[in-house]
């Protein structure tokens, strides 16, 4: 199983690019490392999945304080609530690699044959990459990390950042690509080409 991880700042087009990759790469599937986090965040907030999706999927509501979400007496945005659940609830109890392990467990359950191409559009922590890399290579596949850059977008207060496989001793191949304003298909096309080139290079070795 090949695993492609998109590493980019919030709202810089990762999900759209992931959808474009699915159209171009056969037997590919879009997943998110934070799938478990969504479940915990919704249950901890005491809201319905429908309400949560309406808040989180809207870029405006996602970043604004919400009357349904409160930390230490202060209303917070859905994004801040997610960070709180991740950093103050889940990781202290289950470890820094909790989401990576959960993602791998989900892949084993949904793709028992260990085949296909999985595109993660929310890569942001080295511990998660380490888990995904180990699993990809255990199935005979590869891990490919794409750091996506887009003018005018940065990490801001996000707890994630750009990652490096080499600096963290994680097996895989990594690239930097640009998502041009108004032309996400150009970025997706470059990722597909680099993916194909990387696979062909490994077959020749």
């Amino acid at each position: 199983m090949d695993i492609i991880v998109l590493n980019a700042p919030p709202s810089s087009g990762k999900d759209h690019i992931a959808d474009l990759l699915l159209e171009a790469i056969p037997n590919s599937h879009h997943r998110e490392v934070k799938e478990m986090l969504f479940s915990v965040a919704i249950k901890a907030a005491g809201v319905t999945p429908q309400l949560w999706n309406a808040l989180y999927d809207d870029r405006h509501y996602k970043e604004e304080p919400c009357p349904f979400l409160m930390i230490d007496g202060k209303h917070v945005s859905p994004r801040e609530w997610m960070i709180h659940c991740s950093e103050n609830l889940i990781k202290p109890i289950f470890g820094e690699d909790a989401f990576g392990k959960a993602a791998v467990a989900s892949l084993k359950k949904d793709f028992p044959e260990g085949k296909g191409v999985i595109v993660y559009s929310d890569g942001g922590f080295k511990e998660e990459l380490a888990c995904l890399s180990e699993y990809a290579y255990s199935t005979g596949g590869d891990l490919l990390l794409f750091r996506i850059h887009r003018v005018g977008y940065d990490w801001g207060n996000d707890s994630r950042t750009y990652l490096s496989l080499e600096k963290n001793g994680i097996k895989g191949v990594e690239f930097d690509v640009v998502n041009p304003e108004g032309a996400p298909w150009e970025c997706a096309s470059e990722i597909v080409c680099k993916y194909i080139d990387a696979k062909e290079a490994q077959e020749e070795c």
Side-chain angles (χ1 to χ4, degrees), residues 91-160:
K91 289 184 178 180
I93 298 175
F94 299 103
E96 295 293 322
D97 59 355
F99 298 111
K101 289 180 177 178
V104 169
S106 179
L107 290 180
K108 290 180 178 179
K109 175 179 178 293
D110 295 340
F111 306 96
E113 295 183 357
K115 297 180 180 180
V117 180
I118 307 298
V119 179
Y120 282 97
S121 60
D122 62 339
F125 295 102
K126 61 182 180 181
E127 294 84 5
E128 298 164 359
L129 281 183
C131 291
L132 293 174
S133 172
E134 181 179 357
Y135 179 66
Y137 288 101
S138 74
T139 64
D142 297 294
L143 175 79
L144 299 96
L145 172 67
F146 289 91
R147 291 180 292 266
I148 301 174
H149 304 268
R150 185 177 180 184
V151 175
Y153 294 81
D154 58 38
W155 294 96
N157 295 324
D158 201 288
S159 55
R160 298 167 297 173

